[in-house]
Amino acid sequence: MTVGVDTSESAYHAFEWAARHAWSLRTDLQVYLADPGDTTVQRVLERLPMLTAHFRPSGDDPVAALVRASDSSATLVLGCKGEQHRSLGLGSLVLPVLRRARCGVVVVRGRPPAIRGEYGWITAAVGGCEDPVVLRRAVELCRTRRAHLRLLHVHPPAQHGVSVPRDEAAVRRAVLFLRTTAPELTPEVLVESRHPHEALAALDSDLVVVGRGGQHDGVGLITRAALYHASCPVLVARPEPMHDDRVKP
């Protein structure tokens, strides 16, 4: 597992999330620091004495450094805002890294209880061609954290008098997929008939798993809404080889 850390508050939240998750998986943590002299992260490590962390400078091109690191990691963790972008929106590195990363990317954002993992729920956003990948990663997290699983299908309301047909089949396929791959999990199914940003902002969840999406910039509507508005950390899943820091289903 790899995490990128600059001097922003968001980055420290991301480091704490990544450190706790790496510790729960009993795997090492690769830490790319914008400021190699930054000692703030040591306070987190003092609370997790069994975690082994390896520190590296991210250099003048942190996007390239993190993308290279994604070759040998199953999960790359980022804060939602960097030291150069502390206002509304996403940090300037998030989308460039997300588009090029060759592993799943967690963008840490949302309410403090969600970042600390206090809700006990993992949410999988379903309804697209990437559902199997999304569901597998959600199942891994449920098993690691002993959390409950929720399936979220967002059905946007009618716009300009035109309604979008509800895709009930997508939810049924997801449930059937889980009966085969994770029979021990009985998911809660939540079908939301509102705008994606509204549904994602209202979640009481420790994490929401989404696919990359297929729009021209490489980030789909649901994924973009999650990155900007979700009330919890967001895992953008993608197919990847099995590494030591993944939980094998």
Side-chain angles (χ1 to χ4, degrees), residues 2-247:
T2 300
V3 59
V5 181
D6 59 19
T7 59
S8 66
E9 182 179 2
S10 176
Y12 292 128
H13 289 320
F15 177 76
E16 288 185 305
W17 190 97
R20 287 195 301 267
H21 193 63
W23 180 85
S24 71
L25 296 177
R26 303 299 188 265
T27 189
D28 292 0
L29 181 64
Q30 310 298 321
V31 185
Y32 281 77
L33 289 172
D35 179 4
D38 186 0
T39 60
T40 308
V41 296
Q42 296 299 329
R43 292 201 295 268
V44 177
L45 295 178
E46 289 171 1
R47 299 197 297 270
L48 298 168
M50 300 301 291
L51 175 65
T52 300
H54 306 278
F55 295 91
R56 296 176 173 83
S58 56
D60 296 331
D61 190 348
V63 172
L66 292 169
V67 170
R68 284 194 300 270
S70 73
D71 277 330
S72 57
S73 182
T75 308
L76 180 61
V77 184
L78 303 171
C80 63
K81 299 173 187 175
E83 58 189 353
Q84 302 299 324
H85 195 131
R86 299 174 187 266
S87 59
L88 295 175
L90 287 177
S92 59
L93 301 184
V94 174
L95 290 178
V97 171
L98 182 60
R99 293 185 186 109
R100 295 169 55 189
R102 291 178 281 272
C103 67
V105 177
V106 174
V107 178
V108 177
R109 56 161 298 115
R111 304 170 189 154
I115 295 173
R116 293 192 297 265
E118 296 178 1
Y119 289 112
W121 285 92
I122 300 296
T123 300
V126 299
C129 62
E130 298 170 291
D131 282 358
V133 176
V134 168
L135 291 167
R136 287 190 187 100
R137 292 308 305 262
V139 166
E140 291 172 9
L141 286 158
C142 286
R143 288 171 172 167
T144 300
R145 294 173 171 236
R146 299 181 180 178
H148 302 289
L149 177 62
R150 177 187 294 120
L151 302 181
L152 171 67
H153 179 63
V154 179
H155 172 66
Q159 293 185 344
H160 309 296
V162 178
S163 61
V164 179
R166 181 176 295 183
D167 189 1
E168 301 285 359
V171 177
R172 290 196 298 270
R173 286 193 299 269
V175 172
L176 290 173
F177 181 89
L178 291 169
R179 287 178 184 171
T180 301
T181 58
E184 79 279 11
L185 295 176
T186 301
E188 175 187 89
V189 177
L190 180 62
V191 177
E192 289 277 17
S193 296
R194 51 179 167 171
H195 295 291
H197 69 274
E198 296 172 331
L200 290 156
L203 284 176
D204 289 333
S205 184
D206 295 332
L207 186 136
V208 60
V209 187
V210 298
R212 287 277 297 272
Q215 293 188 351
H216 68 279
D217 62 354
V219 180
L221 176 63
I222 296 295
T223 303
R224 186 174 290 274
L227 293 172
Y228 280 89
H229 300 286
S231 61
C232 60
V234 179
L235 167 58
V236 183
R238 63 171 299 162
E240 58 223 22
M242 192 73 73
H243 294 288
D244 288 342
D245 63 339
R246 290 188 63 186
V247 178

